[in-house]
Structure formats: structure tokens, C-alpha cells
Amino acid sequence: MNRLVTVAEMTLRELTRRRGVLLLLLLMPLVFWMIRRDSYVGQSIRALFLGISWAVSTAALFAASGARELEPRLRLAGYRPHQLYLGRMLGLWVLGLAVAVPFFLLTVIDANNLRYAGIALAMLCCVAVAAPFGMLIGALLPRELEGTLLLLTVVAMQMLLDPASPGAKLTPFWSSREIATWAVDHTDAGYLSRGLLHAAVVTVLLIVTVAGVFGVRLRRRRHLHHAPLT
Amino acid sequence: MNADEWLRVFAAELHQRRVAVDAARHVVAEAATHLREGGGDPWLVFGSPQAYAATIVESIGTAPAPRPGPVRLDARGITKRYGRRTVLRDAALTVRAGQIAAVVGANGCGKSTFLRICAGLISPDAGEVTVSGRLGYCPQQGGTADFLLPDEHFVLVGAGQGLTREPARQAGRAAARQLGWEADRDVPARHLSGGTRQKLNLTMSTLAAPDVLLLDEPYQGFDQGSYVNLWDQLVRLRDEGRAIVVVTHLLNQLDRVDVVLDLTSSAK
């Protein structure tokens, strides 16, 4: 547990020292929200969710890419793979929550007649999915440029696809749109339950895939044998 | 040869003749003080560094050569191919406790690949490595986090070994001091000079007191003093019974190692 918390703490320390990154993490959802501010309130809130998802995914992508060279030596220092990826994910979840809180307050101040619990749940789903999603891209693509372009493609797809189309459900952040509909348009609870189920399934799938990728990359190699110390 | 160069060669001679590290440091400091206060050409005052080192050895004796202990690292039949190119062919190395091994060879002959295979970071196409005890690895570059402080690196690596914060910090600072670096300043790794960053890299690999230490050209960016400190540290670790493997292209240090693996002929 100590190892996991230490990795989470160091991930947070690294990210919070990058002031420019922090500023952009807050700026991205803000810009998304402001662009849609004058139109229908549901549009601005959905854009805000997408901005949060994108910002946290990007932070996760860069955190995962930056740790590529450090992780093998941490493995040699006694860490197990799950302590490394779960610790990093934990740090990113905490950061994501810190990014989401001011925007939740913004919606409370700015918009009336919303189901605020739904807004909060949707933001939680965005953060829950975004951290393992960004980490997975960072783990699969060794160079940051390729990772960023892939992330851009996914988010653009998410924006352009009709949420009612079957393909939209395959995008990672579909859950936040569904919950937003429940929170803004006061639709039936089916939207909420579908959204929560989607977020839970996608998060678990992403964590399992991240575990698989890290497990392979940081595996104990078969040619290396450990003999007892004599 | 100026006084500084004479002292450097003299220090190297003392090490080569296995004068104990602390005694050698004391003798070199005395000679430096004598030259600074009295002035004069060291060749006229002391004679050649080799002759003066021989005189010192006669006077104070040498540290007993540590007997090599049990085998700590045994690599056999290591073969590695990248596509059609065979980088390593049937390479083998055995290092015992209390030995320093140097892996040498031309650029691109597979020195770093061999070390990474020994560390278990990449797989060979054939061959096996047996390690006895704890393994430490210092990469040629990278391996540090740009935005973390040196102390935070020590805490991170120490936690892997079950060390709590303060002991990890103390152990890291003590290991850094052996390399002539005071690591107590709050400077992120990205603001450290290349040589100091490499000292951080090296300190991280020795922090957990490994039984087998694998170093991939650990002196990148080191000045002359740091380079001498590094070899002092390696000799000290060897005398404590560690097995050390150093990838190097600086052949002038080969007289201070016990085993040499030349990979030049291994590359095809």
C-alpha cells in the first residue's frame, strides 16, 4: 500500500510542478464551456464534460509516456507492476477531481434547474474513464505525438457522432452525454443508469487492458533466474 | 604534466597498487598540500608518480586484496538479434562477489544491450542469466523524473525496498556524498547539470544496497574529480563484496577492474 501511495504522490507532485500544464488543464474545459455558453445550456455542459475528459486524458497520456524509462528501474527496485500503474492512476484520479470541482461549482452558479447530483456523477465518470484511457494510449504508443493525435481523433469522433447512433456507445465518454441528458433535460432514470453502467464497464475494461499492457512490458523475463544469496 | 595532472596520475597509481581508499586519499591530500605550500615541480619534489607511489606502498603497505566470493552474476550463451543483424553472439560473463567487470567494445557492439539483458529489461534470443542477490541498474541516460527533487527520487526508490521516507532520504544523501555531491538542495532533476543528473541516476541504483550492480557508462558528463570519486566508490563497493559490471569505452580504467568482457568480436 505504501508503494502504491508513494507512486500516486510522486505523480501528483510531478504534475503540480508543471504550472503551464495545470493552467491548460483548467483552460481546456473552460474554453469548451465558454464556446457553447450562449447556446442551449445542455450543449455547454456536454462540451464542458468533453473538455474535462480530454484534459485529464492528455495529462494521463503524458504522465504515462514520461514514466516509461523510470518504471523498469522502479520494477528492479522492488515495485510490482500493479503498484506502478494503479499508483499512477490514483494520482491522476485525484488530479482529475481537483480539475472537476471548480467546474462543478461553475455550473451550480451559472445554470438553474439542473439535477446537480447528475452533473457531479457525470464529472466523476469523465475522470474515472479519462485517467486509464490516457494511460492506455501512453502505454501503447511510445511517442507522445502519436498518442496526442490518437486522443484528438477519439475526442473529435465523440463530438461529431450522433449520441443516439449505435457507434457512439463504443466511444469512451458516451456515459457523460447520457447522464448530462438526465441532469439537464430531466429525462427518465434510464439515461442515468445506462450512463453509469457504460462508465463502469468502460473503466473496468480500460483498467484491465492497462494491467495487461503493463504486465507484459514489466514482466519478469524467462531468461533471468534468481538464485538464493550464498 | 602540471601539479593537478601529476596528483591525478599519482592517485590512480595508488589505487592500482591497491592502497586502501582512505589511506590513498590522505596521502594524495598531503602531497597536494605540500605542493601548494612549498611550490615547485612535483617531478622534482617527489619524482615520477609511479616511483613515489611505489615508495608509499613500501611504507604503508596495501590493503589485502579481497578474495572473490561466490558467483553473483552468471550470463551464458547470450545471443541477441535485431532483424537480420546479430548484435550479440554467445556472449558470456561470470562475476563474483568482490569483483568489478568491465564490458568493452566498439560503438554498436551490444554493450548496453548485454547489460539490459543481464538486468532482465529485454529478452535475449538465446542464453540465460542467473543472479544471486539483489540487482541494481543504472541506465546510460534517462531513468529520472524531470520534475521531482533528488530527495523525492530517493523516497520513490526507497519505498520499493520498504524503506520509509527519512531513512530513504538519508541513505540517498549519504550515497550522493560518496560521489562528491550534496543532494540536499530542492532542485528538480531537470535543472541539474548533466553530470549531477547522472550522479542522481547512479545514487538511485546504489540506494537499495544491491548485491549486483549494473552500470551503463555511468560517468557521462562527469568532471575529472567526479570521475575519480566514482571509481573510489566502485572500489569501495567491490571491497564490501558487491559484484559490479561497468559498461565503458574508457580503456584507461581497465587496470582497476578484475574481469574484462570485450564484445567487439561478438558483433556481426
Side-chain angles (χ1 to χ4, degrees):
Chain A
M1 193 63 186
N2 178 41
R3 291 174 187 166
L4 199 143
V5 172
T6 306
V7 174
E9 179 198 332
M10 295 308 165
T11 302
L12 269 175
R13 282 181 185 269
E14 272 193 279
L15 287 168
T16 51
R17 285 209 182 102
R18 304 175 79 155
R19 304 250 164 79
V21 170
L22 279 182
L23 198 68
L24 289 171
L25 277 179
L26 291 168
L27 187 66
M28 198 185 283
L30 186 67
V31 169
F32 273 54
W33 175 78
M34 279 175 72
I35 287 172
R36 295 285 186 170
R37 172 77 177 76
D38 292 334
S39 58
Y40 166 60
V41 67
Q43 291 289 338
S44 65
I45 286 181
R46 286 188 187 97
L48 176 63
F49 292 161
L50 206 56
I52 293 172
S53 305
W54 198 3
V56 177
S57 304
T58 309
L61 162 68
F62 279 79
S65 299
R68 274 186 97 89
E69 287 189 45
L70 184 62
E71 273 160 356
R73 74 182 309 176
L74 291 179
R75 180 87 174 93
L76 280 178
Y79 285 87
R80 300 183 66 183
H82 76 273
Q83 292 164 336
L84 294 171
Y85 67 78
L86 285 180
R88 201 161 299 285
M89 216 178 281
L90 184 61
L92 287 161
W93 277 330
V94 172
L95 177 85
L97 288 179
V99 169
V101 165
F103 290 109
F104 175 70
L105 296 176
L106 183 71
T107 54
V108 170
I109 294 164
D110 185 64
N112 298 316
N113 195 27
L114 299 179
R115 286 168 165 162
Y116 293 111
I119 302 291
L121 276 174
M123 285 183 176
L124 275 177
C125 291
C126 290
V127 172
V129 173
F133 181 59
M135 279 182 68
L136 180 61
I137 294 178
L140 288 174
L141 298 176
R143 280 175 285 273
E144 286 164 351
L145 179 61
E146 283 91 327
T148 310
L149 289 174
L150 180 60
L151 203 56
L152 189 66
T153 309
V154 171
V155 174
M157 228 167 68
Q158 185 92 50
M159 283 174 88
L160 298 174
L161 274 177
D162 174 7
S165 69
K169 289 180 185 167
L170 298 176
T171 54
F173 303 110
W174 180 79
S175 56
S176 63
R177 292 190 75 137
E178 204 70 353
I179 299 171
T181 306
W182 178 77
V184 177
D185 301 331
H186 296 269
T187 52
D188 65 85
Y191 281 85
L192 175 66
S193 51
R194 275 196 302 275
L196 289 175
L197 181 66
H198 186 272
V201 169
V202 170
T203 306
V204 169
L205 275 178
L206 286 169
I207 293 174
V208 169
T209 316
V210 167
V213 173
F214 271 73
V216 170
R217 190 149 59 85
L218 300 173
R219 70 189 181 278
R220 191 160 280 176
R221 309 277 169 164
R222 270 185 289 182
H223 73 277
L224 184 63
H225 309 286
H226 288 275
L229 199 61
T230 49
Chain B
M1 185 184 283
N2 63 25
D4 286 342
E5 206 169 331
W6 188 95
L7 286 166
R8 189 181 61 74
V9 175
F10 176 53
E13 278 296 321
L14 291 175
H15 284 301
Q16 190 183 343
R17 290 162 196 262
R18 282 198 175 276
V19 173
V21 171
D22 290 336
R25 193 186 287 271
H26 181 70
V27 170
V28 173
E30 271 193 351
T33 306
H34 188 89
L35 288 173
R36 194 172 55 246
E37 290 176 354
D41 184 345
W43 284 81
L44 297 175
V45 179
F46 296 116
S48 75
Q50 293 79 8
Y52 190 53
T55 310
I56 292 294
V57 168
E58 270 181 31
S59 162
I60 65 174
T62 58
R67 283 187 176 182
V71 172
R72 289 276 181 258
L73 177 89
D74 190 23
R76 288 165 188 256
I78 303 296
T79 298
K80 179 72 180 174
R81 297 181 200 92
Y82 288 116
R84 288 182 178 179
R85 182 168 168 254
T86 302
V87 180
L88 295 167
R89 188 186 295 277
D90 206 23
L93 176 68
T94 301
V95 190
R96 293 174 172 275
Q99 284 189 324
I100 298 177
V103 179
V104 301
N107 289 342
C109 72
K111 301 187 291 289
S112 295
T113 301
F114 180 78
L115 207 69
R116 288 171 67 80
I117 288 170
C118 288
L121 300 178
I122 53 174
S123 300
D125 292 298
E128 294 196 332
V129 178
T130 305
V131 171
S132 176
R134 191 178 290 161
L135 198 58
Y137 170 71
C138 177
Q140 197 178 94
Q141 55 193 6
T144 56
D146 281 354
F147 289 85
L148 291 184
L149 310 175
D151 272 354
E152 289 164 350
H153 282 87
F154 303 151
V155 169
L156 186 59
V157 173
Q161 294 297 329
L163 284 178
T164 53
R165 281 158 198 269
E166 198 46 38
R169 263 194 288 267
Q170 294 305 328
R173 289 180 183 186
R177 211 167 290 127
Q178 301 283 359
L179 295 169
W181 173 44
E182 291 298 331
D184 52 356
R185 288 181 56 218
D186 286 346
V187 182
R190 72 193 176 112
H191 288 149
L192 297 173
S193 69
T196 310
R197 195 166 174 145
Q198 192 57 12
K199 286 178 186 174
L200 170 62
N201 210 348
L202 192 59
T203 303
M204 287 166 72
S205 61
T206 56
L207 185 70
D211 302 290
V212 179
L213 184 57
L214 308 173
L215 308 172
D216 193 352
E217 299 200 36
Y219 41 74
Q220 302 276 341
F222 277 17
D223 55 25
Q224 184 61 38
S226 302
Y227 188 68
V228 171
N229 283 340
L230 166 71
W231 278 96
D232 282 355
Q233 168 85 324
L234 295 187
V235 169
R236 195 176 293 118
L237 289 169
R238 171 181 67 183
D239 293 347
E240 287 171 7
R242 312 289 162 80
I244 300 164
V245 182
V246 191
V247 167
T248 182
H249 62 267
L250 297 179
L251 301 179
N252 62 333
Q253 289 299 337
L254 291 188
D255 52 4
R256 296 175 71 174
V257 306
D258 306 287
V259 181
V260 175
L261 171 64
D262 188 347
L263 290 175
T264 305
S265 57
S266 177
K268 299 282 176 188

